[in-house]
Amino acid sequence: MEALAVRLSGLDPYVDGAMRIVAFYDTLMRRRVDLPALARASAGLAECVAGIRVHCTGQVIRVSPDGRQASAPSAPASTTVPITLDAEEIGTVWLERPDLPNALDDVLLDRLAIAAAAVAERYGPALTTMADPALVELAISSDSDEAARARALRLLGFAADLPVRVAAVRSQLPLDQVGGLVCPARLVKAAALADVGVILATAIDSARFPAGVRAGIGAVDSPDRSWRQARTALRFTTPHQTVVSYDDLGALALLAEIPQDASRDNADVAAIAALARTAGPEDLETLDAYCATGSLRQAADLLHLHHSSVARRLEQITRTLGIELTDPTGLTRARLALTAWRLLND
């Protein structure tokens, strides 16, 4: 193989340069350098500013050819290559060449990206969002002892002095994509457990969950308790309220503790169940919108219907349920019954 490389390099200067770059980074990887050292070596080799960004932590390293941290504002990248680990993009490397890209820039950045991925995997936990499901389950299980839970969290990358919040997610989108959106600048880990996705992070921005995703968010507490709370909050999600925080449920969370037989035997819940069996889906959608807003006109806006159409539907629903929806007490009964029925069918 070495003889072939020598023969090729004699025939083509590009191949000679590429082989020298490969050997250069092989040497760096054998020396187990860190990311700043990789950036310094790359800037010196490229004779321009070289940069490395790690998405998970937000760490950005920019080094000038003289080996010092680049102080000037970032110039537009002349060449960029993603850092991938376990088929997931965890960062980016780039060159800020003031003139046209060099013919060997792509080779240099490819090797830099490979080296950066190896460094990320070697030092501390992998910086990918997706985590080992066994570790995640150990971290959130109520059956785990505190020592095992602390070890699992440490292996996942969470510091012992930082709180961990857990979200339970149902999504057609990849979990790593969802995790990156709701926690873009801090450590976040995700795994699929049975039928529910799990996201662990020190902070979760509920407003950043993408459309089509349902999520329940636990309180900042021990991970096992936060997980139970997240699962409970997920059960309270609806088509009109796709993200629910356990902290916002208050006394409503008690509905999840009611025995199922007691809920089924309740007359209001039974009436909702009968409506679901006999009426069209638009009636349940109308009831849900009205219960969510408490206003005829707001419900009409939510449903994109004229308020008179919604009024006619609500009159029919009122007769079917035997609950006066325009009365505050009746509206409360309908809200509780609809929620209890949903919990039964979760």
Side-chain angles (χ1 to χ4, degrees):
M1 184 68 180
E2 291 182 2
L4 176 61
V6 171
R7 288 165 56 193
L8 288 173
S9 66
L11 294 172
D12 189 340
Y14 175 86
V15 173
D16 180 49
M19 295 299 296
R20 290 178 186 274
I21 290 173
V22 170
F24 177 83
Y25 281 101
D26 284 348
T27 300
L28 290 177
M29 292 171 70
R30 284 196 298 270
R31 292 177 179 174
R32 295 177 176 271
V33 298
D34 57 11
L35 290 179
L38 269 179
R40 286 194 299 272
S42 301
L45 182 62
E47 298 182 338
C48 69
V49 172
I52 300 175
R53 174 182 170 81
V54 179
H55 296 331
C56 181
T57 62
Q59 180 186 18
V60 177
I61 304 168
R62 293 177 62 247
V63 181
S64 298
D66 60 5
R68 299 178 183 178
Q69 182 176 349
S71 56
S74 299
S78 55
T79 315
T80 303
V81 170
I83 305 170
T84 58
L85 183 61
D86 297 333
E88 180 184 340
E89 182 178 328
I90 65 168
T92 309
V93 295
W94 69 91
L95 296 178
E96 298 174 19
R97 196 176 292 285
D99 47 13
L100 294 175
N102 186 286
L104 289 168
D105 282 356
D106 286 339
V107 177
L108 187 153
L109 285 179
D110 281 340
R111 299 305 299 181
L112 174 56
I114 292 171
V119 171
E121 189 172 31
R122 182 184 302 128
Y123 294 107
L127 297 180
T128 54
T129 299
M130 296 306 294
D132 181 351
L135 272 182
V136 171
E137 188 167 16
L138 191 61
I140 64 176
S141 173
S142 58
D143 296 329
S144 300
D145 59 57
E146 289 307 312
R149 191 187 326 282
R151 180 175 181 274
L153 289 171
R154 186 172 64 253
L155 290 174
L156 289 168
F158 293 99
D161 58 341
L162 290 178
V164 177
R165 174 164 285 192
V166 186
V169 177
R170 286 200 174 97
S171 170
Q172 297 298 318
L173 296 175
L175 280 176
D176 60 319
Q177 181 179 336
V178 177
L181 288 171
V182 301
C183 188
R186 301 184 185 182
L187 179 66
V188 57
K189 294 293 181 180
L193 297 183
D195 62 330
V196 180
V198 185
I199 292 177
L200 291 87
T202 54
I204 295 175
D205 187 345
S206 60
R208 293 179 64 92
F209 278 97
V213 173
R214 290 204 182 193
I217 305 172
V220 177
D221 205 337
S222 61
D224 57 324
R225 190 175 297 113
S226 186
W227 171 237
R228 291 197 300 272
Q229 294 171 346
R231 288 295 300 265
T232 297
L234 180 63
R235 297 177 64 194
F236 282 84
T237 59
T238 71
H240 297 121
Q241 189 174 8
T242 56
V243 179
V244 173
S245 175
Y246 186 86
D247 288 335
D248 295 334
L249 286 175
L252 285 176
L254 295 174
L255 289 175
E257 307 297 327
I258 298 175
Q260 290 191 345
D261 288 343
S263 289
R264 290 192 186 93
D265 291 341
N266 180 270
D268 288 350
V269 178
I272 295 289
L275 179 70
R277 288 194 305 268
T278 60
E282 65 276 2
D283 284 339
L284 274 181
E285 187 179 7
T286 300
L287 178 61
D288 176 51
Y290 184 68
C291 286
T293 62
S295 163
L296 178 64
R297 291 189 178 274
Q298 290 181 32
D301 290 341
L302 198 60
L303 296 169
H304 305 292
L305 295 172
H306 193 273
H307 67 273
S308 61
S309 299
V310 175
R312 285 193 297 271
R313 287 187 187 180
L314 288 175
E315 288 175 5
Q316 179 59 42
I317 292 170
T318 295
R319 289 193 293 270
T320 302
L321 296 180
I323 300 174
E324 181 50 63
L325 297 176
T326 58
D327 177 73
T329 300
L331 180 58
T332 299
R333 286 174 55 188
R335 283 172 171 163
L336 291 175
L338 183 61
T339 301
W341 174 78
R342 279 208 175 96
L343 292 174
L344 283 174
N345 292 275
D346 177 65

